[in-house]
Amino acid sequence: MSKNLEDIARLAGVSRSTVSRVINGHPHVSELTRRRVMEVVKREGFFPNPAARTLVTQRTRVLGFITPQALPDVFADPYFPALIQGISSTANQYDYALMLWLGEGTEEEERFYHRIRQTGLIDGVVVASVVDDDPLIAHFVEDRFPFVLIGPPPREGLNSIDIDNRHAARVAVEHLIHLGYQRIGMITGWLKMPSARARLDGYRDALRMAGRSASDSRIAEGNFLEPSGYMGMKMLLHQDVDAVFCASDTMAVGAMRALHEERLRVPDDVALVGFDDLPISAALSPPLTTIRQPIRRLGSVATEALINLLDGALATPYHVLLPTELVIRGSCGALLKR
Amino acid sequence: MSKNLEDIARLAGVSRSTVSRVINGHPHVSELTRRRVMEVVKREGFFPNPAARTLVTQRTRVLGFITPQALPDVFADPYFPALIQGISSTANQYDYALMLWLGEGTEEEERFYHRIRQTGLIDGVVVASVVDDDPLIAHFVEDRFPFVLIGPPPREGLNSIDIDNRHAARVAVEHLIHLGYQRIGMITGWLKMPSARARLDGYRDALRMAGRSASDSRIAEGNFLEPSGYMGMKMLLHQDVDAVFCASDTMAVGAMRALHEERLRVPDDVALVGFDDLPISAALSPPLTTIRQPIRRLGSVATEALINLLDGALATPYHVLLPTELVIRGSCGALLKR
DNA sequence: ACTGATTTTGGGAGCGCTCCCAAAGACAGG
DNA sequence: CCTGTCTTTGGGAGCGCTCCCAAAATCAGT
């Protein structure tokens, strides 16, 4: 069907090897033949067969993106499209293709792992949303399979790209403290995930540094999703909070729903700060004060790091913390108090 | 590094060919040798090299998912994670891997197309969010490259999975008519996309069938995204509408924001109906009345169809319309009037 | 025991590429 | 003109698999 190297060689009046050299940009090809070959290649629309290439080079030029915990609800978060876009566009930019693996529980992980480790499907992988002791990570480490994490690394010595969750959370809570709120609660993320714990730590840091006792009674454990924000807020209302820090914007939406239902006003009765700065957050009423994290960039930087890793050009372990930003809108009350 | 067929053959005391037959489930292998070989395969954790396989079979067992118009904002819609999940889980189920290509404008399309058509990267592709005269589609058709569309097919004879956009939109608008609204407006999607036009047609159908003139002055052209919902609503307020049908929930969120800003109440001053039934829609205040479409299933069914197509087991052209459902919540006023 | 049909097994060829090595050509310098 | 060096080119081997064909083994039926 499609032409192969030999065909192109014949058409250009040279040998297979020469065509290969031209295509791969190797030296030691005279300018004349190079041009002649390139012309035929272009005219015939020739592309080297990736499978044949892979068979000999042991490289696929395909990257993977894995989310072990892409449970239906978790993955519905607009966080992921942004992340995927960052990864995809960077991969394309470097002429890599992108393969996707959405895990839906541990049983599936083992299958992923097997399909991935068999040399020849992908060269390396970007991993997001890992939980503690994810067996996938252990496997990759053991097999020395190249990977980069997005999020806090669950152990030492791994390559990771992240934001400083703890610091960002502290900034968010300090903002509430400075505004004068006295009984600040928190709705946490899914505490099996390191990022959720880091945000909780940041909340405690802020209270401690302000000389307040961080009573655990004002902490509601959530799971990053809307319903858990709703439930968490319902719970916290019994604790008489006057402000709540939510570990995700999605939960803040749920919290807002609970407050509306109780006919409580935001921020007058309860102030709210979220985390993520999703597109909808600015459109809520009131607009949500939140921590903006550069989701697309997280994906981009991770992908770039992975590609460098594959090229042996990454000093490992590699760690990057991308900056976050407190975005002040209506839900924290700062705009009213001015 | 990793073992190959020959190694396994040696360990099992048989020939390469026999191992190949066992692995591929071919007949004419005695039960005894089959068991012996399987044992060695399992013990050694052997997987056949996909590149080598592809080289001879011309099949990759990889599927592609393409969104030519994955512009940063468009793709941020929670619609896509759901779609991708449906595709991904079905692909996994049939033991296919999934490759992702997010287009960001036509310039990139050509590159995609070239990377894809070179035999050996993927076997077929699921395409979503095409615009009219998408050159990608033309290329695929010309090359007889297997693909299945999600959404309305831009021309005859293509395989597609979709919902009945026109009918669903009519149902939504008829609902508003029955509730007694007199000046029903619409905020449309991006009219370059066939689905957006179909929804507009449905809106007109409903008005016409109710004997009303569908004045175009009550139609605001949007692009499916939040800001265009906001803008659209601002515009429609000058037309004195008492109800608005939005072609996406995301735009309904924008519309709601505009109404809040004008201190108008939903549904008392202006009733609202959306389209999609995103997770957040139930959490808005008031909760959004909307058309629910089975997004995950759309992805699943398309993937299944594609796999059948690859197996030559699909009667083409193949068309499926999945059912939609009017979900009545607070924003249309139906719950108040009871 | 011998023949022929049938089941089971082994080995060669080849998929399309890269890489290595050797051959050929170009070019100085004596 | 010949030799040695350097650049450019060609062809063989081999990556790991599947598929085809032929050889070997098994099994009936005389």
Side-chain angles (χ1 to χ4, degrees), chain B residues 5 16 20 53:
Chain B
L5 261 194
R16 185 170 33 103
S20 173
R53 258 185 164 167

Side-chain angles (χ1 to χ4, degrees), chain A residues 5 16 20 24 49 53:
Chain A
L5 261 195
R16 187 170 32 101
S20 174
N24 294 293
N49 180 315
R53 258 185 163 167

Side-chain angles (χ1 to χ4, degrees), chain A residues 213-234:
Chain A
S213 72
S215 158
D216 280 2
S217 64
R218 297 214 186 95
I219 297 173
E221 183 170 346
N223 64 358
F224 287 123
L225 305 178
E226 202 272 348
S228 80
Y230 176 86
M231 299 282 289
M233 183 53 91
K234 288 272 178 178

Side-chain angles (χ1 to χ4, degrees), chain B residues 133-204:
Chain B
D133 302 320
D134 212 308
L136 210 61
I137 301 298
H139 275 138
F140 286 154
V141 169
E142 193 186 337
D143 288 6
R144 303 173 172 284
F145 189 82
F147 71 101
V148 171
L149 284 166
I150 292 180
R155 62 162 96 168
E156 296 281 304
L158 307 181
N159 303 308
S160 71
I161 317 293
D162 198 9
I163 54 168
D164 190 338
N165 281 290
R166 185 167 184 163
H167 176 257
R170 206 187 83 199
V171 168
V173 176
E174 280 173 347
H175 175 66
L176 290 171
I177 293 173
H178 291 149
L179 290 171
Y181 295 103
Q182 293 300 319
R183 299 174 307 282
I184 302 174
M186 171 166 185
I187 303 176
T188 75
W190 187 28
L191 292 176
K192 269 194 96 170
M193 291 182 59
S195 59
R197 287 199 307 276
R199 289 174 201 179
L200 175 57
D201 290 342
Y203 162 81
R204 289 187 166 128

